[in-house]
Amino acid sequence: MLKTFLDIHATESVFYNMQIAQMIRMHWADVVAQEIVDSCDHPLIATGISPTGIIHVGSLREAITGESVRSAVAAKGKEVRLIYLIDSFDPLRKRYDFLPKEFEKYVGMPISRIPCPCGKHRNYAHHFVQPFLDAVGSLEVNCEVIWTHDLYAKGMFTECIDKAFTKRDQVIQILHEVTGKDANPDYAPYNPVCEHCGRFAKPIFETYSFPTVEYECQCGWHGLCDIRTGEGKLTWRLEWPAKWMIFGTSAEPFGKDHAAAGGSYDSGKRIVSEIYGGKAPIPIPYEFVQLKGVGQMHKSLGCSVTGLDAINMTPPEVLNYLFLRVQPSRSIDYDSGMGILDLADEYDRMEQKYFAKSFTESEENLIDAYVIAQHNHVPEKLPLQVPYRHLVSIVQMANNYKEVLEILARNIDFSGATDDELKRLWRRCECVRYWLNGFAPDNVKFSVMNTLPDTLDLSMNEKVFFQALVRRMNDCNWTADEINGIVADIAKESPLGTKGAYKSLYKIFIGKSVGPRLGFFLSSMDQKFVINRLVQASV
Ligand SMILES: [Zn+2]
Ligand SMILES: [Zn+2]
């Protein structure tokens, strides 16, 4: 049954691998890494991004998948490179809604030659990809960033461009056979950049003689292009396999659209061997990432959560884990609502189980995902953990990070914390803050009222309940457990009932009827402050 996978499709090896992974209980990244180690002397993993517009969460999946395989190969003792190719020489295909009107004139030009929309970056490509690259650093993706327009300028594509022209008939035949579409005798494997208007133009094939080709542009210009000088570009189906040649790519993750039968991986595989004389990388096709949750829409971008948002609101170790906990062939929901909290909790739980060496067979894969998410820097012992949901509350109670630490210090001893632990805590607080500002559902948001509002209407039962609390809280250990116990005891005796008692307490502290976990919430505040508030509310 496994064999049949090998026969049906270009991306078979990965599906085959994934089946093996399931059978022998190995993480998929380790299975792919083993195949790379077995088949490549100088492993190189390529990932990439097209910075024509918004950078999607799916691009993160690609970067993290690439890094995970890189670190899995490195863990097997093999030297390995991960490159991050930026398609900076692609044309701007249309004026997107988020671009100013005057950008209409740049449509059809390479994005490395279009000015940046904000005026602060070197060009259009930098504008969209630089913030993402800066942020990817926090995920500890160890890659070399390579700009495609630089490769063209350095003449790295020259040999492949020459072959694309001289074997153009063969290219047309391959594309016809792979895609099943009619052969197109006019197919241009390469487009010169018009020296007059700066747009990609059509070559006149019969004039090709290394190293030049004549071209005709829509603007009416007739010119001569030297293929060695970065004044033109291979089309996607020829450019991708040309990159495999330039770098000797061993493996590459890519979106499932490229992996479809007749898609660009299938054609690339034939072009690299039959036209360029090389070998296709091991494919790692991945499914798309679907967005869930109710974030604010970025109106100008036409999308609710960008890749940059995801980096800013998900702790890096948790984001790594998200993309490793399922196989690349499975789709992933990125839930920018409460899902982030569930995911962070699951990560912390797996971390505990890993260090306790206590997990079920069905959790093995999640434990492996936790380990691989560390990129070969697994901590030596269980790191300091502060429940993520607590951070969500504390960040809202504190005015700054210093206060966050002061509040936490009431319940946690930080004296032995390492730099890495403190860094992780700080980073998690930053993520929580970003999430609260743009994505968190309203029901988790609150702020502690500095004073008790005069307008608050409190019943006699509530006042009696508060008085009873004051008596017990005056001399108790100020811990979440003890406070919970006291509240439960007194609520039992009160006509308010437990539910009503909780409601009354939230009302006098945050002006809402629901709030964070009560014992933890009250214990995180100063004991005197809490008792004063109860006294005020009981008169
Ligand atoms: Zn800019
Ligand atoms: Zn032109």
Side-chain angles (χ1 to χ4, degrees), residues 364-396:
E364 264 174 37
N365 185 58
L366 299 177
I367 296 289
D368 285 348
Y370 164 77
V371 172
I372 296 174
Q374 315 304 315
H375 300 323
N376 299 338
H377 300 287
V378 182
E380 282 168 14
K381 59 179 181 61
L382 178 68
L384 172 76
Q385 287 192 348
V386 180
Y388 204 69
R389 280 176 162 77
H390 286 188
L391 288 182
V392 172
S393 303
I394 290 172
V395 163
Q396 297 185 82

Side-chain angles (χ1 to χ4, degrees), residues 194-201 215-221:
C194 170
E195 60 192 321
H196 182 67
C197 73
R199 290 181 179 77
F200 285 107
Y215 63 86
E216 235 153 21
C217 182
Q218 282 178 327
C219 74
W221 189 261

